[in-house]
Amino acid sequence: IFLAVGFLFGTVFMIFDFFNSKPIEKNEAIEKTAVFDYYELQYGKGDQLLGAWLFFENGEKEYIAGECISVALALNLKNLSKGTELHLLINPKTNYIIELHTDSLTLIDFDYAQDCLKQKGNENLLGAFSMLVACCFFVYKAITTKEE
């Protein structure tokens, strides 16, 4: 029963992430302009890149999801000089940066970021379905197994 409840909670969280990963229209995004200060890459187990935080001169910070970080973006962030003015579009549902550019260079394209986040959402939906099947299996086993 405990495993079934755990898988059910996992299913709910993955479905929630699926709906948050749905693409939005460009006019729904929050526009922001900020002056770049520095960035920090966020790593998980096994040096898996989870995302990046951009810090700005006014003390604010914004997040880039790991799915949207390409090799080119990582190199461009490394070469980005302090004081550069950045133009951002932020998804209001997830608060992730979905477009990032300077006056002369596009760092994250809106459509590319939308596709990456949509793919992650679809993977989570598949994971949620798998967890739901496991949950049903454990409920079935709990009902049909009798203690002697």
Side-chain angles (χ1 to χ4, degrees):
I1 295 294
F2 289 118
L3 286 173
V5 171
F7 279 115
L8 187 60
F9 278 126
T11 300
V12 170
F13 286 117
M14 289 184 126
I15 288 175
F16 178 73
D17 190 50
F18 168 75
F19 285 111
N20 274 341
S21 298
K22 283 184 151 184
I24 62 170
E25 297 295 322
K26 204 168 191 173
N27 62 357
E28 295 176 50
I30 299 168
E31 290 184 51
K32 184 176 188 177
T33 299
V35 179
F36 178 74
D37 191 14
Y38 66 99
Y39 75 98
E40 290 179 1
L41 297 177
Q42 182 182 21
Y43 291 95
K45 293 181 181 179
D47 290 335
Q48 177 188 5
L49 184 59
L50 300 176
W53 286 100
L54 298 182
F55 295 87
F56 305 108
E57 287 185 350
N58 63 1
E60 293 183 12
K61 63 182 181 179
E62 295 294 343
Y63 188 71
I64 303 171
E67 297 80 25
C68 300
I69 300 176
S70 64
V71 173
L73 174 61
L75 289 173
N76 284 329
L77 286 176
K78 186 176 182 179
N79 296 327
L80 201 59
S81 56
K82 185 176 180 173
T84 303
E85 186 175 74
L86 297 176
H87 307 283
L88 303 89
L89 287 181
I90 300 168
N91 184 328
K93 291 190 248 176
T94 60
N95 290 322
Y96 292 164
I97 295 173
I98 53 175
E99 183 174 272
L100 177 65
H101 62 90
T102 66
D103 290 332
S104 60
L105 179 65
T106 299
L107 300 165
I108 300 176
D109 179 63
F110 178 80
D111 294 325
Y112 171 77
Q114 295 281 77
D115 289 342
C116 291
L117 294 172
K118 183 180 176 184
Q119 182 178 352
K120 179 190 174 216
N122 290 339
E123 290 169 3
N124 283 339
L125 186 62
L126 181 61
F129 178 74
S130 300
M131 287 185 143
L132 187 59
V133 168
C135 176
C136 292
F137 171 76
F138 286 118
V139 167
Y140 170 77
K141 287 304 263 180
I143 291 171
T144 59
T145 304
K146 295 181 184 179
E147 290 187 26
E148 295 182 19

